Amino acid sequence: MARVLVGVKRVIDYAVKIRVKPDKSGVLTDGVKHSMNPFDEIAVEEAVRMKEKKIAAEIIAVSCGPAQAQETLRTALAMGVDRGIHVDIPAAQMPLLQPIHVSKILAKIAKDEKIDLVIVGKQAIDDDGNQTAQMTAAYLDSPQGVFASKIEKTNGELTVTREIDGGLETIKIKLPAVVSADLRLNEPRYATLPNIMKAKKKPIKKMTPKDLGVDTTPRIDIISVEDPPTRKAGSVLPDVDTLVAKLKQEGHL
């Protein structure tokens, strides 16, 4: 049976309205509700289902971030993950932590833990990077199945149905491999109260990038973060002639 590594990221909750800091150096995070990246929830759910089908022997969740990232790991543990690894990154450094850094961290842990399958969400809803799975596969020199909407295991291979611009593509990849979860892969379960209580006793190992030999020195600078321009209010016009006249008046025709 396979050993599975799942990446989980702590992000601002999807229901929260994002606010830019007054100095435009980033977005406000203090006192703001955070939760597990929704695509990572799907990745966790898929790993847990694999364990329920006796495909996976052990599931390890990894999260990079400040101390609060352990809350995200506890959520994964309550969903059915066996143990967690917290890679401690100070909150002040998080805005400049890039997918390339996370990919190196995941690849090193995957090698150390002798992982057969790495599953991550296809992207995080805060930066929409969509880079971590692909670069992790490159660092591991492993095949990849990204944007997965269906995963099946047969004879040491994975059959992955991918969502692409033209529809669906089905590929076969050999283990060890890296997969990223798309929206339609599954519907994540809610953690039950008994499992939330059990999760408190499951182990979380704390590490730093230095322990893993990963240099997280920033490769970018944030110059400015700004709100998108406010859209003009729409208007209802009585007929087509008025619409055409309006378009001509504004120089669109």
Side-chain angles (χ1 to χ4, degrees):
M1 290 193 290
R3 291 168 56 79
V4 181
L5 183 72
V6 185
V8 294
K9 184 177 183 181
R10 177 179 179 266
V11 298
I12 294 176
D13 190 84
Y14 70 91
V16 172
K17 180 176 173 58
I18 303 298
R19 292 181 297 159
V20 175
K21 291 179 180 179
D23 62 1
K24 297 185 178 182
S25 64
V27 299
L28 290 168
T29 57
D30 293 340
V32 175
K33 181 183 177 183
H34 285 66
S35 59
M36 187 190 300
N37 177 47
F39 288 106
D40 294 342
E41 285 186 345
I42 296 170
V44 170
E45 174 65 26
E46 193 64 21
V48 173
R49 291 187 186 189
M50 286 181 175
K51 188 172 183 184
E52 290 171 345
K53 295 174 184 176
K54 310 298 182 185
I55 296 172
E58 183 182 29
I59 308 168
I60 305 168
V62 179
S63 188
C64 302
Q68 295 92 326
Q70 292 199 18
E71 298 169 11
T72 306
L73 285 171
R74 291 292 176 198
T75 300
L77 295 172
M79 290 175 68
V81 169
D82 296 298
R83 58 189 174 96
I85 297 176
H86 172 213
V87 181
D88 187 33
I89 309 284
Q93 295 179 17
M94 284 300 293
L96 295 178
L97 186 74
Q98 297 172 256
I100 191 169
H101 301 136
V102 178
S103 299
K104 289 180 177 180
I105 288 168
L106 291 177
K108 183 63 168 65
I109 292 174
K111 289 177 181 176
D112 292 347
E113 295 284 349
K114 297 179 173 55
I115 295 298
D116 300 295
L117 178 62
V118 178
I119 311 179
V120 296
K122 73 168 183 177
Q123 64 196 73
I125 62 170
D126 51 4
D127 61 9
D128 283 329
N130 179 26
Q131 299 172 31
T132 303
Q134 294 88 332
M135 287 195 285
T136 302
Y139 283 121
L140 290 171
D141 195 23
S142 296
Q144 58 182 280
V146 293
F147 317 132
S149 61
K150 186 177 180 181
I151 303 172
E152 297 174 304
K153 185 175 183 294
T154 52
N155 302 323
E157 289 184 333
L158 293 180
T159 300
V160 179
T161 301
R162 303 180 58 234
E163 298 205 2
I164 59 175
D165 290 342
L168 298 175
E169 177 185 61
T170 302
I171 62 172
K172 283 189 176 182
I173 55 177
K174 292 182 178 180
L175 296 176
V178 178
V179 172
S180 73
D182 212 325
L183 185 64
R184 279 161 284 277
L185 180 58
N186 59 55
E187 185 173 339
R189 70 193 66 193
Y190 289 101
T192 62
L193 182 58
N195 286 337
I196 291 172
M197 299 306 292
K198 289 177 185 176
K200 293 181 179 180
K201 298 180 180 179
K202 291 182 179 180
I204 293 179
K205 182 179 180 181
K206 187 174 179 179
M207 310 179 75
T208 66
K210 188 176 180 180
D211 295 333
L212 297 164
V214 176
D215 181 9
T216 55
T217 301
R219 300 184 176 204
I220 60 171
D221 287 322
I222 296 176
I223 306 302
S224 179
V225 176
E226 301 183 22
D227 285 309
T230 304
R231 291 182 61 182
K232 291 173 61 178
S235 59
V236 179
L237 303 176
D239 51 47
V240 175
D241 291 338
T242 307
L243 172 61
V244 172
K246 184 80 170 176
L247 291 172
K248 286 181 178 178
Q249 179 185 340
E250 295 187 3
H252 299 304
L253 288 178

